[in-house]
Amino acid sequence: EGEWWLDREKRILYVYPNSTWDDDINDLTFVAPQLQNLLRVENSNNITISNIEFTHAATTYMEKYKVPSPGDWAYYEGAAVEIVDSRNITFTNNVLHRNGGNDMILLGAVKNANISGNSFSYSGDSSILTVGRNFDLADGTGADYPSDITIKNNEFHDIGIYGKQSSALFVALSCSV
């Protein structure tokens, strides 16, 4: 019970529901995610992303994780939505639902971003990450890091469906978040 098998040759999905299944299987939609990343904004300025649903990005828990600083927290450097080395980003009134890894990452030199009014639910890992890179941890030179990031009026629930270290917001090597 609760198992499935895909016959690739015949292109048939077999599902054996468990005893708690109360839906008619003929009325259900099955999704087979293929992409871990649904949107990537890189080296861009003055971008607004609004009123879009980002859902069913593939799982990432078997990918290589990084450790940003001394300690035990590790993260996957990717997400359904990736904002990399960009400025003046507005991300508002979006829905991020049932993604298999992180929902959103602000990576590197992301400056002046506004993340507001979004809904994050059933995240496989964390919802939002802000992570710097290229640090010389001795003096911080050469660093690319998120700064002046506003995160407000978002809804988060059911986070970390697969990940054991997960949160609504993970901040590492960042400033003024």
Side-chain angles (χ1 to χ4, degrees), residues 29-74:
T29 299
F30 291 88
V31 178
Q34 300 295 308
L35 302 174
Q36 293 175 344
N37 173 248
L38 305 177
L39 174 67
R40 183 178 176 96
V41 175
E42 186 170 5
N43 296 318
S44 298
N45 295 319
N46 305 313
I47 302 291
T48 298
I49 302 161
S50 183
N51 299 308
I52 299 174
E53 181 176 6
F54 299 93
T55 186
H56 297 296
T59 59
T60 59
Y61 57 83
M62 296 299 288
E63 301 297 335
K64 185 176 180 179
Y65 276 54
K66 292 187 173 189
V67 179
S69 60
D72 67 346
W73 193 282

Side-chain angles (χ1 to χ4, degrees), residues 108-176:
V110 176
K111 309 297 182 198
N112 192 30
N114 178 4
I115 314 301
S116 63
N118 302 288
S119 174
F120 298 83
S121 61
Y122 297 98
S123 309
D125 218 330
S126 293
S127 294
I128 301 173
L129 297 88
T130 69
V131 182
R133 59 183 177 186
N134 302 326
F135 270 83
D136 176 347
L137 292 179
D139 65 7
T141 59
D144 297 323
Y145 55 91
S147 65
D148 300 315
I149 310 298
T150 301
I151 300 171
K152 65 179 183 178
N153 299 329
N154 296 288
E155 174 190 40
F156 302 91
H157 68 87
D158 296 291
I159 299 164
I161 301 298
Y162 304 115
K164 297 302 177 200
Q165 290 180 318
S166 57
S167 64
L169 174 62
F170 172 71
V171 178
L173 308 172
S174 301
C175 175
S176 299

Side-chain angles (χ1 to χ4, degrees), residues 74-117:
Y75 70 98
Y76 173 68
E77 192 174 276
V81 175
E82 299 174 0
I83 310 295
V84 182
D85 299 328
S86 297
R87 296 181 179 277
N88 303 319
I89 304 298
T90 301
F91 190 85
T92 184
N93 298 320
N94 298 292
V95 174
L96 294 93
H97 179 72
R98 294 200 182 278
N99 291 304
N102 299 315
D103 284 319
M104 177 180 217
I105 188 168
L106 286 73
L107 180 63
V110 176
K111 309 297 182 198
N112 192 30
N114 178 4
I115 314 301
S116 63

